[in-house]
Amino acid sequence: QVQLVESGGGLVQAGDSLRVSCAASGRTFSNYAMGWFRQAPGKEREFVAAISSNAGSTYYAESVKGRFTISRDNAKNTVYLQMNSLKPEDTAVYYCAAKYYSSTYIYYDYSRKGEYAYWGQGTQVTVSS
């Protein structure tokens, strides 16, 4: 079992930056690929970003490419999502997710929710206009 706990959400203004974190425990973190997803009210949970187990590769949704950066610190068992130039449409609950997958590159469909076995409880990010 892997336990995931997100933190760092909050209320910011459009154009601001925010970093959310996800702390993992329970298994060897460096064996897991990690993803960030988000869910806005009344909408499906959608893919935001993913990172391979050794941070050798990263992947982004088109809507956040160039604004968001996913990173990880395997020594701290933590994955981060740095969000810059935030927009009101980025408002959502942000979830981190883990998949046992030890590889430099991700060859599964990293944008598919069903690929990830473990999920956190989410952290709210609200961007005001």
Side-chain angles (χ1 to χ4, degrees):
Q1 289 285 341
V2 174
Q3 292 78 43
L4 303 172
V5 179
E6 300 95 335
S7 62
L11 172 63
V12 297
Q13 293 188 329
D16 285 351
S17 297
L18 192 67
R19 188 178 79 163
V20 292
S21 303
C22 172
S25 61
R27 293 291 175 94
T28 304
F29 182 65
S30 59
N31 287 335
Y32 287 79
M34 300 297 295
W36 282 101
F37 289 74
R38 67 186 181 186
Q39 188 166 18
K43 294 190 175 182
E44 292 276 329
R45 191 171 300 189
E46 65 175 5
F47 169 75
V48 176
I51 188 167
S52 65
S53 58
N54 63 0
S57 57
T58 56
Y59 310 85
Y60 296 94
E62 283 298 322
S63 60
V64 306
K65 200 173 289 185
R67 299 189 299 123
F68 290 12
T69 302
I70 188 171
S71 63
R72 65 190 295 161
D73 185 338
N74 285 348
K76 296 183 177 180
N77 292 350
T78 302
V79 62
Y80 306 97
L81 185 67
Q82 176 68 43
M83 303 181 287
N84 298 330
S85 302
L86 282 160
K87 305 175 181 180
E89 50 264 44
D90 294 318
T91 295
V93 177
Y94 283 72
Y95 299 90
C96 68
K99 177 182 175 71
Y100 182 79
Y101 195 89
S102 184
S103 172
T104 296
Y105 298 99
I106 293 178
Y107 296 103
Y108 63 86
D109 184 355
Y110 47 79
S111 67
R112 194 171 77 88
K113 298 185 294 291
E115 292 286 351
Y116 298 86
Y118 304 101
W119 291 82
Q121 83 291 345
T123 185
Q124 176 71 48
V125 173
T126 303
V127 185
S128 64
S129 57

